[in-house]
Amino acid sequence: MKAITVLLVDDHLVVRSGLKALLGTQPDIDVVAEAASGEEALAQVEQHSPAVVVMDLAMGAGMDGIEAIRKIRERNRRQAVLVFTTYDSDADIVRAVDAGAMGYLLKDAAPEEIFAAIRGAVQGKSVMSAPVASRLFQQLRNPDEVLTPREAELLSLLIEGLSNRELGQRLFISEATVKTHLAHIYAKLGVETRAAAIATAIRREGMR
Amino acid sequence: MKAITVLLVDDHLVVRSGLKALLGTQPDIDVVAEAASGEEALAQVEQHSPAVVVMDLAMGAGMDGIEAIRKIRERNRRQAVLVFTTYDSDADIVRAVDAGAMGYLLKDAAPEEIFAAIRGAVQGKSVMSAPVASRLFQQLRNPDEVLTPREAELLSLLIEGLSNRELGQRLFISEATVKTHLAHIYAKLGVETRAAAIATAIRREGMR
DNA sequence: TGGTCTCTCAGCCTTTTGGCTGATACCGCT
DNA sequence: AGCGGTATCAGCCAAAAGGCTGAGAGACCA
C-alpha cells in the first residue's frame, strides 16, 4: 500500500511543522512538501503532484488561499484540496467549496478528524468540521439570506466605514440606491442599524 | 549549563507541537510541559515551575491569555511570560505588557527571533517583534490618542452594534454623556462617524 | 491650593440614517 | 409573453447621530 502524499500550505512555520509532526505519526500519510504562500503552493503541486493539499486560507501576502485552490483545481484535477484554517467564516466556506475544496477543517479539530479528512479526500469523500458543516447547511437552507453580488460589494465598502454618500460615489449610484441596498442587507443580516451590520459582517466575514 | 525550561500554552494542538518541534532543535531549550487553556497553564506552572511560559492570547474557552499571565505573575515572579500570538492588537499589547508579559511575538516571527526571545526572557530582557514594538512605541509617544478606561468600555460595546440609547442604558449614563464619550473616541481614533470608528476599532483591537 | 484629567450632563442645531411606498429597466428562464 | 430576481432611482417623514458650547463633581498631583 502506497502512502498518501500531502502538501502543506501555511504561512506560519510553526503550524506547518506542527502539522507535519502530527501527520508523521500516521504511516499511511506522507508529507512530501511544504509551501508558505499561494505561489509556492502552485509550484510545489507542479513538482510533487501530491494526492492531497492541506491549505490555510489566510496567507499573509500575495495570492490568498481561495485563489490558490482555484488555480490548483484548474490546472490539475488530481489534487484534493483540504482547507485547514482558524476561523469559520461564512463567506470563506462558501467560496472555498465553490473553488473546489474537498473539505474544511478548523485548526482546533481533533487529530483523528484531520487524519480521517485526508484519507477521505483521496477517495473523493468530503469532510468538514461540525461547526463548518452547520454553517454551510444554514446557508443552503436559507438562500434568502445570501447577499447578492452587488449587496456584498456594498457591504465590503460599508465595513470600511463609508457614509451613504461616499458609498454612492464609490459605486457610481445614487444615494437612494445605496439606501435600498442597505435596507436589503440589514434585512438579510437580521439587524436594524449600520453599526450592527458592520459588527456582524466583520464577525461573519472572517474573524469570529 | 542547564537548559531553559519552557511551558507552551496554546489551544491549538498543531501550534503546540510545531513550536515544540522547533524549540527541540535548540539544545539549550527544553519544553517540559504544554497546556491548552489558561487553567491548565496555571496548574502546569505550579507543577513544573518553568523558566519561561510561551502563551497564545486567544484561548478558545475559559480564562483568556491576559488573565492567565496576571495570575501566573501574581503567584510566582520566577516565570517570564512570552506572548506568542497571531495578531498584533493595540489593546492586547498594552494589556499583556501591563499584566507582566516579558515579550510579545507574532506567530510569523523567524525561528531565530523566537529563540532569542526565550533566551532573553530568562535574563530579564524584553523582546518583541518589530511591528509590535512600533505599535507600542506609537502609543507611548502619543498618549493623547490612548482611550480612557471609560472610553474603552464604551468602544467595546459600540462594536457590538449598540445605539446611543442602548449604550446609555447599558452603562447607566445619559445619552448626552454617551455622545460626549463618542466624540472623544472619534477624535482619538481619527474618524468622523461611528461606522468608521467600529471599522477601525475592530481592526486595531484585534484582527487586522 | 490650583491645575489637569476624567466622567458626568444639557441644549441647540445640522446632517445622516432608516422605514416606507412606488416605479423603471434589464436579464434569464419558462 | 410573462414572471422572478436584481439593480436602479425618487420622495417623504421620523429617528438617530454628530458638532458645538458650556458646566459641575471628584480624583490626583505638584
Side-chain angles (χ1 to χ4, degrees):
Chain A
M1 179 183 70
K2 247 187 341 197
I4 303 168
T5 53
V6 175
L7 163 65
L8 301 182
V9 188
D10 193 305
D11 60 338
H12 290 154
L13 176 86
V14 292
V15 174
R16 287 202 307 276
S17 56
L19 204 41
K20 191 174 178 179
L22 187 66
L23 297 181
T25 65
Q26 303 299 302
D28 62 330
I29 297 177
D30 201 357
V31 176
V32 294
E34 300 179 30
S37 70
E39 289 81 357
E40 246 185 87
L42 288 180
Q44 297 285 14
V45 167
E46 290 291 332
Q47 193 176 338
H48 296 94
S49 192
V52 179
V53 179
V54 175
M55 164 138 44
D56 188 358
L57 284 187
M59 228 75 75
M63 191 189 311
D64 76 343
I66 301 279
E67 192 55 30
I69 295 175
R70 186 161 287 126
K71 289 249 170 64
I72 291 174
R73 299 288 301 170
E74 266 171 22
R75 300 194 191 170
N76 196 329
R77 316 247 90 194
R78 295 221 311 279
Q79 275 76 40
V81 179
L82 281 178
V83 174
F84 183 66
T85 194
T86 306
Y87 304 108
D88 49 346
S89 144
D90 283 352
D92 283 348
I93 296 171
V94 174
R95 284 166 57 219
V97 170
D98 198 57
M102 281 299 299
Y104 201 109
L105 295 168
L106 298 183
K107 280 189 183 168
D108 52 10
E112 289 72 25
E113 199 173 358
I114 299 173
F115 303 149
I118 292 177
R119 293 186 187 112
V122 295
Q123 299 167 23
K125 283 190 204 149
S126 174
V127 184
M128 44 188 57
S129 298
V132 174
S134 80
R135 275 166 177 266
L136 192 57
F137 187 71
Q138 176 82 7
Q139 287 228 336
L140 293 177
R141 210 190 42 179
N142 248 342
D144 285 359
E145 292 182 4
V146 176
L147 301 181
T148 68
R150 193 55 159 171
E151 285 162 0
E153 195 178 356
L154 218 138
L155 183 58
S156 76
L157 290 176
L158 185 69
I159 65 176
E160 300 297 322
L162 302 191
S163 70
N164 289 351
R165 180 168 310 169
E166 291 170 319
L167 290 171
Q169 288 169 349
R170 196 74 82 82
L171 297 175
F172 306 107
I173 57 180
S174 81
E175 219 175 310
T177 307
V178 171
K179 291 172 82 173
T180 304
H181 284 310
L182 284 182
H184 294 157
I185 292 173
Y186 297 165
K188 290 181 181 177
L189 293 184
V191 299
E192 268 101 43
T193 68
R194 81 167 42 207
I198 294 173
T200 67
I202 293 189
R203 282 170 177 67
R204 292 242 280 239
E205 292 304 313
M207 13 218 120
R208 148 134 26 152
Chain B
M1 179 182 72
K2 248 187 339 197
I4 302 168
T5 53
V6 175
L7 163 65
L8 300 183
V9 188
D10 194 303
D11 60 338
H12 291 153
L13 176 89
V14 291
V15 175
R16 287 202 308 274
S17 56
L19 204 41
K20 191 173 178 179
L22 187 66
L23 296 180
T25 65
Q26 304 300 302
D28 62 330
I29 297 177
D30 201 358
V31 176
V32 294
E34 300 179 29
S37 70
E39 289 81 357
E40 247 186 84
L42 287 179
Q44 297 285 15
V45 167
E46 289 292 332
Q47 192 177 338
H48 296 94
S49 192
V52 178
V53 179
V54 175
M55 163 138 44
D56 188 358
L57 284 188
M59 229 75 76
M63 191 188 311
D64 76 342
I66 301 280
E67 191 57 28
I69 295 175
R70 187 162 286 125
K71 288 247 169 66
I72 290 173
R73 299 287 302 168
E74 267 172 21
R75 301 194 189 169
N76 197 328
R77 315 247 92 192
R78 296 220 310 278
Q79 274 77 39
V81 179
L82 281 178
V83 173
F84 183 67
T85 194
T86 307
Y87 303 108
D88 50 344
S89 144
D90 283 352
D92 282 348
I93 295 171
V94 173
R95 283 166 60 218
V97 170
D98 198 60
M102 280 299 298
Y104 201 109
L105 296 168
L106 298 185
K107 280 189 183 168
D108 52 9
E112 290 72 25
E113 199 173 357
I114 299 172
F115 304 150
I118 291 176
R119 294 186 186 113
V122 295
Q123 300 166 25
K125 282 189 204 148
S126 173
V127 185
M128 45 188 56
S129 298
V132 175
S134 80
R135 275 167 178 265
L136 194 56
F137 186 70
Q138 175 82 9
Q139 286 228 337
L140 292 177
R141 209 189 43 176
N142 246 341
D144 285 359
E145 291 183 5
V146 176
L147 301 182
T148 68
R150 192 56 158 173
E151 284 162 0
E153 196 179 358
L154 217 138
L155 184 58
S156 76
L157 290 177
L158 185 69
I159 65 178
E160 300 297 324
L162 302 192
S163 69
N164 289 352
R165 180 169 311 171
E166 292 169 320
L167 290 170
Q169 288 170 348
R170 197 73 82 82
L171 297 175
F172 305 107
I173 57 180
S174 82
E175 218 175 311
T177 305
V178 170
K179 290 171 86 172
T180 304
H181 284 310
L182 285 182
H184 294 157
I185 291 173
Y186 296 165
K188 289 181 181 178
L189 293 185
V191 299
E192 270 101 43
T193 68
R194 81 166 40 207
I198 293 174
T200 67
I202 293 190
R203 281 170 177 68
R204 293 243 281 237
E205 293 303 311
M207 13 217 120
R208 151 134 26 151

